[in-house]
């Protein structure tokens, strides 16, 4: 007997409304794919320098139940948004592509104790109304660089930025190898 086929597959709409409240304890396996516009994410919008119609994230997800009935979810996100370069203040495209594995646990304590050694894995507390939109937004927010900058050459301020402690990491790497 294959325990993974025990639950019927249910289509999950990739919309803010549907992802905002997912019954992860329901005896079903979810599957869904679709595009989330940047305007669907309130917190990400605060980080953007300006909004392009194509900005947003393509999302593909599926859930299944591990042995013992623990729900798990695979999410794959791919997309882009625009940040402001911290050197020249011009728009900079932030590309994001990530696969994440969520394990649903029973309590907040269990989630806190979840081992952090694997960045591709994360624990969420299972409930009848899990906010997956928030979880997805958290993942993208965490990946946004603290001080995004154009690569040296592409930046309008690259000349002026020279010698201000902004060492080219490849140059540093080269000198380390010698
Ligand atoms: Zn720049």
């Amino acid at each position: 007997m294959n325990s993974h086929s025990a639950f019927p597959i249910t289509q999950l709409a990739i919309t803010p409304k549907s992802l905002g409240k997912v019954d992860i304890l329901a005896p079903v396996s979810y599957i869904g794919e679709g595009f989330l516009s940047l305007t669907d994410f309130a917190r990400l919008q605060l980080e953007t320098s300006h909004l392009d119609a194509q900005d947003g994230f393509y999302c593909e997800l599926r859930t299944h139940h591990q042995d013992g009935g623990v729900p798990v979810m695979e999410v794959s996100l791919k997309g882009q948004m625009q940040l402001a370069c911290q050197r020249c203040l011009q728009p900079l495209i932030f590309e994001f592509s990530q696969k994440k594995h969520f394990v649903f646990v029973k309590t907040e304590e269990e989630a806190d104790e979840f081992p952090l050694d694997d960045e591709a894995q994360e624990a969420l507390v299972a409930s009848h109304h899990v906010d997956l939109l928030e979880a997805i937004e958290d993942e993208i927010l965490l990946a946004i660089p603290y001080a995004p900058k154009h690569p040296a050459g592409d930046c309008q301020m690259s000349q002026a930025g020279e010698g201000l402690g902004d060492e080219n990491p490849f140059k540093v790497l080269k000198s380390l190898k010698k």
Side-chain angles (χ1 to χ4, degrees):
M1 282 285 279
N2 182 356
S3 63
H4 292 174
S5 61
F7 295 119
I9 290 169
T10 296
Q11 200 75 34
L12 185 68
I14 303 297
T15 62
K17 190 166 185 278
S18 142
L19 292 175
K21 194 177 175 188
V22 177
D23 184 359
I24 213 75
L25 297 172
V28 296
S29 290
Y30 292 107
I31 182 165
E33 60 181 292
F35 183 76
L36 291 162
S37 161
L38 196 66
T39 53
D40 294 331
F41 300 101
R43 288 177 295 154
L44 283 180
Q45 264 192 91
L46 296 175
E47 303 290 326
T48 194
S49 58
H50 83 269
L51 203 58
D52 246 24
Q54 84 255 27
D55 288 351
F57 302 91
Y58 184 78
C59 171
E60 214 179 323
L61 67 83
R62 55 178 65 233
T63 69
H64 69 270
H65 293 77
Q66 276 180 345
D67 299 334
V70 178
V72 294
M73 177 174 70
E74 307 287 344
V75 181
S76 144
L77 298 164
K78 195 170 170 39
Q80 66 168 53
M81 62 184 280
Q82 322 224 12
L83 305 174
C85 170
Q86 294 306 294
R87 210 154 28 199
C88 68
L89 302 178
Q90 295 302 304
L92 171 156
I93 293 175
F94 166 61
E95 287 179 329
F96 180 79
S97 171
Q98 200 176 79
K99 274 195 173 77
K100 198 94 181 186
H101 183 93
F102 289 95
V103 177
F104 289 92
V105 296
K106 289 198 181 76
T107 63
E108 206 68 59
E109 288 73 37
E110 262 183 83
D112 289 345
E113 282 165 20
F114 197 79
L116 293 170
D117 52 351
D118 186 353
E119 270 190 25
Q121 281 210 46
E122 186 118 5
L124 289 176
V125 180
S127 78
H128 291 291
H129 42 80
V130 175
D131 190 343
L132 289 183
L133 191 71
E134 189 184 27
I136 287 169
E137 190 171 26
D138 283 346
E139 289 311 312
I140 303 167
L141 268 175
L142 279 173
I144 290 179
Y146 176 68
K149 287 183 195 124
H150 289 117
D154 290 350
C155 188
Q156 302 198 12
M157 290 281 283
S158 54
Q159 296 301 316
E162 218 56 73
L164 293 175
D166 241 319
E167 275 272 43
N168 178 342
F170 295 105
K171 237 190 246 171
V172 175
L173 202 66
K174 237 180 198 173
S175 63
L176 284 175
K177 277 184 177 164
K178 274 177 193 164

